[in-house]
Every structure is written in structure tokens, then in C-alpha cells.
Amino acid sequence: MARPSLFSRLKRKQQMKQSSQTESYSTKITKDLDDNLKNIKQMLGDPGDLVMRELMIGGMDKRAAIIYISGLTDENLINDNILKSIQLNLKKFDTNVIDHIHKEVIAITDIQKSNNMDDISFAILNGNTAFFLDGNETILLMSTGGGETRSIQQPESETLIRGPRDGFVESIETNMALIRRDIKDPNLRFKQHQVGKRSKQKLVLCYVEGITNPDIVEEVNRRLETIDIDFVSDSSYVEQWIQDSFLSPFPQLLDTERPDKVSSDLMQGRVAILVDGTPFVLIAPVTIGEALHSMEDYTQRWISATLLRMLRYLAAFFALFLPSLYIALVSYHPGMIPATLTYSIAATREGVPFPAAIEAFLMAITFEILHEAGVRLPKVIGQTIGIVGGLVIGEAAVSAGIVSPIMVIVTALTAISSFSVPSYSVAVSFRTLRFAFMLAAAILGLYGIILIYIMINIHIVNLKSIGVPYSAPFAPTFLKDFRDLVIRSPITKLTKRPTHLKPLDDQSKDVEPEKGQ
Amino acid sequence: MSTFKYADDKIKTRDIMIAVPSMVIAVGILAFPRLLSEVTFSSDGWVAILLSGLVAVIFTWAVAKIAANFPNQSFFTYASFLVSKPIAVILVVLFSIQGITLTAFEVRAITDISHQYLFQETPMQIISLTFLLVVVYAVSGSRAGIFRLNVLFMPIIFVTTVILVLFSIGYMEVKNILPVLKTDVDGYMQGTLQSALSYTGIGVLFFYISLVRNPKKAPRMAAFGMSGAVVIYMLIYLTCIAVFGQSATEVIRFPFVELAKTVEIPGGFFERLESIFFVIWIMAIFTTTVMAFDATIFALNSIFPKVKKIKLVFTLTPFIYLIALFPNNYLETDTFGDFVSYYGWGLSITVLILLWIMYKVKGAKKSGKK
């Protein structure tokens, strides 16, 4: 790095601010053990969880120290493989003590040497253990990462009836291993990046070389480099940083907790982005065709899977249009509703003081509030929301004459439909659009609805996800990809990778016989 | 190494095939069975559609062909080469006027029909303004996006038409179609002219072919797309005549929309489908309007390459809006429509003949080498 290292910059800043007060510490490694320890301590602000253990090397009269942070490390490992080995060592080394200790004494596979204070402090903060030897400028950094993490559980945001049960966790190493377990291809690549100017989190771009189009990988890499942010608490930060359009209501990268989904998408020629500290892995590029797909589609037999998919399209239509159609039909085009139904709607609406638009907005907003409250509340109290919501929406509002029973049906159907959208981020964008439709219907009836619909289409054809048109494979049309779009063809027919992603190798199954055989 | 070529501003010949019917099918088709049955007897209009269709297909092919002879060159470039620069500028300006008037007419027509079928009370100015703003939004986007929009909307329009025709079968009566071939030659001539006028807007092909990366197949595809439009016209005309009979079709202002009013979808969840049908048809009108506007911008950009696209859009929009509000009633709108059609055809045919003659005279050898 051409720029001065972070700690020296921080130090300089501090010095400039309060030059008189600051205790000065050196960012250079010296030969003196005590100096080094003092420097490290001051650099990190002498925290309570920093463990410094001074020791004598067995068989020699030499002082040394190990430093680590207690919660981030596996202390058993340190005790057994570092501390014990060093203390019980009986050999005597005359020259190059640190090399001998590195090669003969310490029983840990991943050891690195360093003499840079920045690297050492980051390594310690990453869960490594540093070994300082008196009279020596080379420091050993031993990988002893550990500490408490969540164990692999079923993903909560995407549950399947049939399919693998494991979900990603917060540890990026575990997540990478989960993908590796699925794909044992030597061409599986994990390109490491770092995000967070201060948090220094690991970010891994995952793809399969020879399948994924290199342009996609290159473009994602380029965008990842531009991320300039202190701390990334979830992959959504990364998503919002590298997406093509921040004005769009549609997610241009898909998030998932399911390793099987990531693996199958990697196999189709997409890339995955893993971020340390979150179980949500990003998948890119995605298109509108993917929005209503679920992994469940592939575990069912193709006819039922296709029907379910069509059901989901119908549900998406309801989730988007139903309340707005109600508003438009009741207030602008009552002639379109069959006469008898018109009478019954009119009869039930007789006591309702509001126009249909207000009624619909009232119910839709009530539902959204209930939904939001239900998400935030702990599970035990969450049931209360169901009861309150059911009573308020189902009974009281109608009998109080605020809304009509038909409106309750519309709201309920919309709500159920919107939950049948498999991806939460897509469902959220549908929620937003639903209100746009309702507003348009309130002002201009069916005409307003179609104008908004056209506008959404205009937006979609102009939107891109990592360079791939969001409207693919509908337009630009890739007829081959229609096999797995609205219908889900039998698995035996799905032998080609999606062509709209322009993979290098379009065959997912090796049907061509090898030459010479 | 394969790259994402489709993401740039180039289109495929298949897009041209879809763009032609998207351009042609618009407002005209709603009133067209009436116009045709005014001059022909019984169901004889199909002869006129066939003849005019033939003319239109050949014309489309010829327009695409002359443009395809100059691959990846804008209209302005090849027209300057063929008929000298000043004349090319005049042609571009004339085409721009056509585009602007066509856009304005479509906006106005949609306002009129919305007034008739969707709402009576909402002020006209609001209806046309909202529609025009959506058009502006589409034109401000990428040009490839407009072609993708065609691809998304065309199937919806096609399926809607087919559904409407299918549900009309129950209302068709054979006596409405009979007797056949009783019209005199003069009637056929008038009918042919009348239906030819409905195929407006082929002129945009002069401009859009330059977007096709490899336009060798473009003329064939354009002609194919035009044939598709002719088939849809034929289908709609015959259905209207078979359901209403000639004498009724003659007096219904928009027979095609009335058709939707007549039929009922089995199951009876929705009645009076004309609103929903017309709303879907707005998409067809929309694609036409957008392409007319965008072609204008495209044309003007070729003579003012330094002006930003968005500036041109915002400069032209107020004019279009004012022109759209100009007619006082629907009779004047019809006159306006006739003017747009005659002007469009006259201009396109003149330019086509002019370009072909010049191409034969001087261009053939030189451009062949390119």
C-alpha cells in the first residue's frame, strides 16, 4: 500500500489533535520484548480481553510472550499446541531460534512470520495468536481462530418441505465449506476481498471458472473494489453498494440463506458473494424471471412444480393488483362487475362512510402495520398480533362500519398472496409497488393502473443486474431459457445452462462422448 | 471470449420483426372495420385488406432493404450519400414532423377513446398529460429498452386479440358474412386505400434498421412482421363483420372495442370487457407512440449530434402536448388522423422512390464495396 498504514495514520491524527496528552507509542517492532508488548498494549488501548502471557522457553534461558484476544481464539488449542510445546521443549537452539521454534516446536498448521506492527495487530484482532521472542524482530502469527459461533441450522427465512436442511451461518469459513461440500469442482474459485475500512471484514466472491462468464466476474470484482464504508453489518450493504440502480424497487442481487441455492446458481453461471458476519449470501446477476422461483420447484415432480409456479405467478398478480383493481372497479367502472355482485357490494358498502380508495388504503396500511409489528415482536408475543389482527380486520372493522366485508376479503387474499412470493426482498418490492398501483387506481382508475404497469415495464427493460438486462430472458428473448421460466421442464430436459448469462460452458451435463473413446 | 453484447444499443433482426406490428397496430385498428365497411359491401373488405396488405408488405420490405443496404449507417448518413446533404436534412426534418404529429395524434386518440370508454368526467388534459409523461419516460430510457418493451407487450396484445376473437365465435352469424364479392371495383379501390392508411408508421424503419447489427435478414423479417399485422387486421375485420354485420359495423364508432363489450367471458366474473380490453390495448397504442417519438429524436439527433437526447425530448414534449390538445372534438381528431396518415404515406413513398432511384443511379457500386 502506498498510503501510510492505518495505525500510523490514526496515530498521526491523534497526535495532531492532542499532541501534548498522547502517550507516544512506536509502530516499529524492536528487539526488546518489553517494548514490543508495551507498544501492542497501547496500540489496542489495553483492553480487558487481551491476554499476554510471558513465558520462558523450556530448555533455554530465553524470554518470550504470546498474545491473543480471549473470546476470538480457541484457548485449548493455545494451551495444548503452543504453550505446552514451548514450555516442554528440551532442545537447545543456538542460532535462529525463531525458525527452530516455528519448524520444530509449535504444533499448529498455519503459521506466518511478520515484522510489521499493523499486520500483527490485525492478526490478533482476527483471532490469531502472536508469538514474541526477546531479542528478535520476527514475530510468529499462529492461526488459532475459534470462539463461539452459531451452529448450522435450518434457514428461517426460506423453509422448504423437501430439500437440504442446512443453512448458512455467520462465519464465512463455515459458509465457504458448505459450498465446497456441495461442489467438489477444482474450478470453484473463492476470490477474497476485504470490506470495511475499520472492520476489515472478509468478503469472498465465489464462482466456477470455466462456467461463469469472465465479464461478470470482472465487473463484480471491479464494483467490490469501490466499496468504501466503515463497517458492513450485513451483505445488504454490499448489495446496495454494487447494485446497478439505487432508484429501483427491484432487488438486483438476490439474497439467500440456502447453500443448495447458491450451489445450483453457481452451476448456472452466476456468482455468489459471501460476507463475513452474515448468513445471507448474495447471488448475481438475477433477472425478473428468477423472482418467483423457489428451490422447491426442483424437488417436486415437474408437473406439480410447474403448476405451483403458475400458482405463484397468479399470487404475484393478486399481490400487486388486487386492491387497486378493487378501487378501480368499485369507484370508476362498477359496470364491469356482474350486476348481482355490484348490488351486494353496494349493499355492504352502504354503511361505509369512505370512498373505496380510502377504505382500501386504510385496510392496506393496517395490514402493513400488523405485518411489521409481527416481524419485530418476539415469537411468544407474536401470536397476540395474530389475534388482534384477526379481530380488528375480520370482525370489528366491519361491524363498526369502517370497511366493507368485500374489502376484508380483498385484503386477506392480497396478504396471503404476497406471502407466497418465495424471496423476501422481492415480496418487499411488490409491497411498495402495490401502493403505487392503489394510488394510481384511486386517481385514474384502470387507466392509472395500466400506466403504472407500463412504467414498471419501462423501468424493468432499462434495468440491469451486473450488466445483464433485468428483463431477460423474456426480452431480449432467449427461447431456450423458457424451459425453466414459467414452466419447469423435466430435469432430464434441463441439460443446458441459462443462455442469457452467456456461460462459457453451456452444457450442464456431459453428453458429448470424449474424443478417442 | 463471449461478452454481453446484447446489453448495448444494438438490436436483433427478430426485434425488427416484432417492432413492425407493434408500430402498425395502434388506434387505427379500433375504428378500421367501420371505415372499411363504409365503402365495401358485406364482408368484402377482406379483399381490400389483402390488397393493401400486399402493398404494405412490399413497401415494408423495400424500406428495410434500402436501409439494410447501408448497414449500421444512420438515415442521415446514407441519405446524404444518395441525395446530397441539404436534401437529407430536409427529409429528416419532414420525418421529424411526421413523428411529432403521429405522437400527438396517438396521444389525442387515446384521450378521446378513454373519454368514451373509461371515464367521462376526468379532464382531457390530465389524461393526455399522464400518457405523454409515461411516453417521455420510455423515450428517455435506452433505445434497446424500447424494443424490449415491444417484445414484452406484443404477446399480450396478440393473446388478447385471439381471446377476444375466440369468445366472439359464439356470436358470429353466417348471414352477416354472405353474400361475398358483391362490391364494385371502385369500392375495392377505396377500401384498399382506406386500409392502407391504417398501416401508418413504417417510416421508422428508415431509421431503426441502422440499429441492427447484421441487417441482412432485416427486410425479410420486417416483411414477415408486417404480414403478421395484416393477419391481425384481417382477423379483427372479419370477426367484427361476422358478429355485427356490415350495416351495424358501419355506424359503430369503434367496432373492435364494441366487440369486447358484446362478448362475455364464460364464468361471468367480469362483464363489459371493453374497459379492460381497451386498457390492454393502451399498451399497443403506447408502443406505437413511443416508437414514433423515439424515431423523431433519433432522426433529429443525427442532424444535431451534439445536443443531448434528453434535451430534445424535453423540448419536443410541450409541442406534442399542444398539438394533441388542438382538435376540438372527435371529428377534428379524425381529420387530424387522416392528415397524419396521408402525410406519413406520402412522405415515406416519396422518400422510398427517391432513395431507390438514387441508389440505382449512383449508390449501388460504391455501397456494395462497403
Side-chain angles (χ1 to χ4, degrees):
Chain A
M1 264 207 309
R3 301 164 72 191
S5 60
L6 175 66
F7 274 97
S8 25
R9 261 186 293 149
L10 283 179
K11 187 187 156 197
R12 209 180 304 148
K13 238 184 210 171
Q14 272 180 359
Q15 278 176 344
M16 276 193 283
K17 266 187 189 167
Q18 24 177 219
S19 49
S20 56
Q21 297 173 357
T22 331
E23 301 166 84
S24 65
Y25 56 83
S26 161
T27 54
K28 282 242 164 66
I29 303 271
T30 60
K31 288 203 169 187
D32 184 47
L33 179 65
D34 292 324
D35 271 2
N36 282 337
L37 295 185
K38 204 182 92 196
N39 281 338
I40 287 260
K41 223 178 209 173
Q42 280 179 358
M43 190 182 265
L44 300 177
D46 197 9
D49 55 354
L50 186 73
V51 179
M52 281 189 176
R53 171 76 158 79
E54 287 187 48
L55 61 153
M56 302 293 281
I57 294 174
M60 290 171 72
D61 191 26
K62 216 156 171 70
R63 286 174 63 222
I66 55 174
I67 302 180
Y68 61 91
I69 289 185
S70 59
L72 299 177
T73 44
D74 182 353
E75 297 205 345
N76 284 332
L77 192 73
I78 298 174
N79 290 342
D80 292 348
N81 298 14
I82 302 174
L83 215 54
K84 259 187 202 166
S85 323
I86 294 173
Q87 285 177 327
L88 299 180
N89 172 50
L90 296 173
K91 291 183 190 165
K92 270 195 178 169
F93 311 115
D94 301 326
T95 53
N96 242 341
V97 185
I98 197 96
D99 263 1
H100 283 289
I101 290 177
H102 177 188
K103 283 178 182 150
E104 292 169 33
V105 181
I106 295 171
I108 281 184
T109 47
D110 185 6
I111 305 184
Q112 278 168 347
K113 281 185 190 170
S114 174
N115 49 14
N116 181 321
M117 200 57 132
D118 266 2
D119 288 352
I120 293 165
S121 43
F122 282 132
I124 292 173
L125 292 172
N126 253 323
N128 289 352
T129 302
F131 176 80
F132 288 78
L133 188 67
D134 192 25
N136 208 310
E137 279 184 355
T138 312
I139 308 303
L140 293 183
L141 294 172
M142 295 159 290
S143 168
T144 52
E148 293 300 309
T149 51
R150 190 166 64 98
S151 60
I152 295 173
Q153 285 164 342
Q154 193 170 354
E156 268 185 33
S157 66
E158 298 157 88
T159 44
L160 293 188
I161 292 172
R162 184 167 173 187
R165 295 260 183 239
D166 55 347
F168 287 120
V169 293
E170 281 75 6
S171 148
I172 194 168
E173 284 81 12
T174 316
N175 293 348
M176 283 158 73
L178 283 172
I179 296 174
R180 273 222 196 273
R181 271 181 215 167
D182 282 353
I183 306 175
K184 289 161 189 93
D185 189 333
N187 293 318
L188 181 67
R189 296 280 177 271
F190 289 106
K191 168 126 174 52
Q192 190 159 333
H193 291 260
Q194 202 173 46
V195 285
K197 248 186 334 205
R198 284 170 185 274
S199 63
K200 303 280 177 196
Q201 282 156 292
K202 250 195 218 171
L203 182 149
V204 167
L205 175 68
C206 177
Y207 61 96
V208 182
E209 198 164 288
I211 296 180
T212 314
N213 191 305
D215 289 0
I216 298 179
V217 178
E218 201 180 296
E219 178 63 18
V220 175
N221 268 328
R222 188 190 65 77
R223 292 190 195 182
L224 287 175
E225 307 274 319
T226 63
I227 297 179
D228 183 15
I229 195 169
D230 270 357
F231 166 57
V232 173
S233 73
D234 182 79
S235 50
S236 57
Y237 279 75
V238 177
E239 176 186 349
Q240 290 170 57
W241 198 283
I242 69 170
Q243 66 189 355
D244 291 63
S245 159
F246 62 89
L247 291 170
S248 175
F250 295 100
Q252 295 137 55
L253 289 92
L254 219 57
D255 56 288
T256 181
E257 278 190 274
R258 304 192 62 85
D260 55 330
K261 177 150 179 60
V262 171
S263 309
S264 71
D265 276 325
L266 288 176
M267 280 299 159
Q268 293 195 327
R270 296 190 170 86
V271 300
I273 299 168
L274 290 76
V275 182
D276 200 10
T278 171
F280 288 96
V281 172
L282 301 173
I283 295 170
V286 291
T287 65
I288 192 75
E290 277 247 310
L292 295 174
H293 289 188
S294 156
M295 283 311 286
E296 189 98 56
D297 297 345
Y298 301 94
T299 60
Q300 299 299 326
R301 300 179 62 254
W302 78 275
I303 297 179
S304 24
T306 302
L307 287 175
L308 281 177
R309 218 175 242 186
M310 287 176 175
L311 190 73
R312 236 176 270 141
Y313 274 89
L314 186 70
F317 175 82
F318 281 156
L320 276 176
F321 290 102
L322 205 58
S324 51
L325 279 177
Y326 173 82
I327 297 175
L329 291 189
V330 170
S331 34
Y332 285 89
H333 319 282
M336 276 184 68
I337 313 169
T340 41
L341 189 58
T342 317
Y343 294 139
S344 71
I345 290 180
T348 53
R349 278 186 48 79
E350 203 174 357
V352 179
F354 313 112
I358 300 288
E359 189 191 359
F361 270 106
L362 215 64
M363 285 306 275
I365 291 171
T366 314
F367 166 69
E368 293 299 335
I369 293 172
L370 280 171
H371 180 34
E372 188 61 19
V375 172
R376 304 287 156 241
L377 278 176
K379 266 183 191 162
V380 193
I381 316 174
Q383 292 174 348
T384 333
I385 285 295
I387 298 165
V388 172
L391 277 179
V392 168
I393 294 183
E395 284 289 328
V398 175
S399 48
I402 296 176
V403 294
S404 66
I406 296 275
M407 188 65 236
V408 177
I409 297 175
V410 168
T411 310
L413 193 53
T414 311
I416 298 167
S417 301
S418 68
F419 287 126
S420 67
V421 176
S423 159
Y424 182 69
S425 44
V426 177
V428 169
S429 61
F430 278 12
R431 269 160 83 182
T432 326
L433 294 177
R434 178 160 72 232
F435 280 93
F437 277 115
M438 286 167 67
L439 199 64
I443 300 169
L444 286 171
L446 278 178
Y447 183 72
I449 295 178
I450 198 74
L451 287 189
I452 297 282
Y453 176 72
I454 291 175
M455 280 174 71
I456 291 173
N457 272 291
I458 298 170
H459 174 68
I460 286 178
V461 296
N462 283 313
L463 187 63
K464 280 174 188 158
S465 166
I466 320 287
V468 176
Y470 205 62
S471 50
F474 291 107
T477 321
F478 291 89
L479 285 176
K480 281 178 189 160
D481 299 352
F482 274 58
R483 287 175 192 177
D484 186 18
L485 199 63
V486 183
I487 58 166
R488 203 279 279 160
S489 310
I491 294 286
T492 45
K493 302 284 175 211
L494 294 176
T495 51
K496 300 267 186 182
R497 296 180 218 285
T499 45
H500 69 271
L501 298 170
K502 310 230 162 174
L504 294 186
D505 163 25
D506 69 337
Q507 202 83 19
S508 13
K509 282 183 189 159
D510 233 1
V511 277
E512 278 178 277
E514 279 181 42
K515 279 178 190 170
Q517 279 186 344
Chain B
M1 195 170 75
S2 62
T3 48
F4 288 91
K5 279 177 185 159
Y6 54 65
D8 61 16
D9 253 0
K10 287 281 172 188
I11 55 174
K12 294 179 188 165
T13 44
R14 189 165 54 194
D15 293 322
I16 288 290
M17 184 183 81
I18 291 172
V20 171
S22 304
M23 186 69 208
V24 170
I25 296 173
V27 175
I29 204 165
L30 299 175
F32 151 83
R34 165 172 57 95
L35 300 173
L36 198 51
S37 57
E38 274 170 8
V39 291
T40 56
F41 188 72
S42 180
S43 62
D44 287 350
W46 66 269
V47 180
I49 300 180
L50 208 62
L51 287 175
S52 62
L54 208 62
V55 172
V57 169
I58 293 170
F59 178 69
T60 312
W61 183 85
V63 171
K65 184 72 185 169
I66 188 94
N69 281 332
F70 302 90
N72 298 323
Q73 287 186 40
S74 77
F75 174 78
F76 183 59
T77 320
Y78 68 78
S80 319
F81 168 69
L82 290 177
V83 293
S84 84
K85 213 163 188 176
I87 299 182
V89 172
I90 295 173
L91 291 182
V92 167
V93 171
L94 288 176
F95 268 117
S96 309
I97 294 172
Q98 192 223 343
I100 291 170
T101 47
L102 182 57
T103 313
F105 167 69
E106 301 287 342
V107 171
R108 176 55 192 238
I110 218 163
T111 314
D112 278 356
I113 307 173
S114 304
H115 242 255
Q116 184 172 348
Y117 288 103
L118 292 177
F119 25 58
Q120 280 80 40
E121 285 156 36
T122 312
M124 231 164 203
Q125 291 82 346
I126 303 282
I127 303 177
S128 29
L129 184 65
T130 45
F131 185 73
L132 188 59
L133 286 179
V134 178
V135 171
V136 167
Y137 178 37
V139 175
S140 325
S142 74
R143 200 152 278 141
I146 291 171
F147 283 90
R148 281 177 206 147
L149 217 53
N150 289 333
V151 176
L152 287 181
F153 287 171
M154 203 56 220
I156 301 178
I157 292 151
F158 185 71
V159 167
T160 315
T161 312
V162 169
I163 287 177
L164 195 59
V165 170
L166 284 182
F167 284 136
S168 310
I169 288 176
Y171 300 85
M172 290 182 187
E173 285 177 45
V174 181
K175 71 172 166 56
N176 285 337
I177 306 180
L178 297 174
V180 290
L181 298 177
K182 291 282 178 182
T183 317
D184 52 1
V185 178
D186 190 40
Y188 284 133
M189 290 309 290
Q190 278 190 34
T192 308
L193 183 67
Q194 197 58 260
S195 42
L197 283 177
S198 311
Y199 307 131
T200 42
I202 310 290
V204 296
L205 282 184
F206 278 123
F207 300 91
Y208 279 148
I209 295 289
S210 69
L211 292 174
V212 184
R213 187 178 288 108
N214 190 6
K216 224 176 209 168
K217 276 194 196 160
R220 212 187 333 157
M221 289 304 228
F224 193 67
M226 192 66 214
S227 332
V230 173
V231 169
I232 289 183
Y233 267 71
M234 184 78 92
L235 210 62
I236 289 171
Y237 169 73
L238 287 179
T239 312
C240 285
I241 294 289
V243 172
F244 298 124
Q246 185 229 336
S247 47
T249 311
E250 214 174 332
V251 291
I252 300 173
R253 188 159 145 69
F254 297 112
F256 190 31
V257 187
E258 285 312 298
L259 199 63
K261 202 179 202 166
T262 316
V263 302
E264 262 177 40
I265 285 190
F269 199 79
F270 286 121
E271 282 177 356
R272 295 176 47 123
L273 290 169
E274 84 276 9
S275 314
I276 228 146
F277 168 76
F278 174 65
V279 157
I280 293 172
W281 210 256
I282 289 179
M283 289 197 254
I285 301 169
F286 175 79
T287 51
T288 309
T289 320
V290 167
M291 274 194 283
F293 197 177
D294 183 65
T296 310
I297 303 292
F298 197 18
L300 288 177
N301 241 343
S302 63
I303 43 177
F304 304 115
K306 278 180 188 164
V307 183
K308 267 189 181 172
K309 181 179 165 186
I310 199 81
K311 274 187 189 162
L312 279 176
V313 173
F314 285 136
T315 323
L316 291 184
T317 307
F319 291 105
I320 291 174
Y321 184 56
L322 287 179
I323 297 173
L325 293 181
F326 202 60
N328 287 320
N329 49 42
Y330 73 83
L331 288 174
E332 286 185 29
T333 310
D334 282 355
T335 320
F336 181 35
D338 284 347
F339 163 74
V340 172
S341 301
Y342 279 114
Y343 179 71
W345 270 97
L347 179 65
S348 302
I349 288 182
T350 318
V351 171
L352 181 67
I353 293 172
L354 185 66
L355 291 185
W356 267 109
I357 290 174
M358 294 312 287
Y359 180 66
K360 286 295 172 201
V361 171
K362 76 170 183 184
K365 286 177 198 163
K366 284 183 191 170
S367 71
K369 278 175 192 168
K370 281 179 190 173

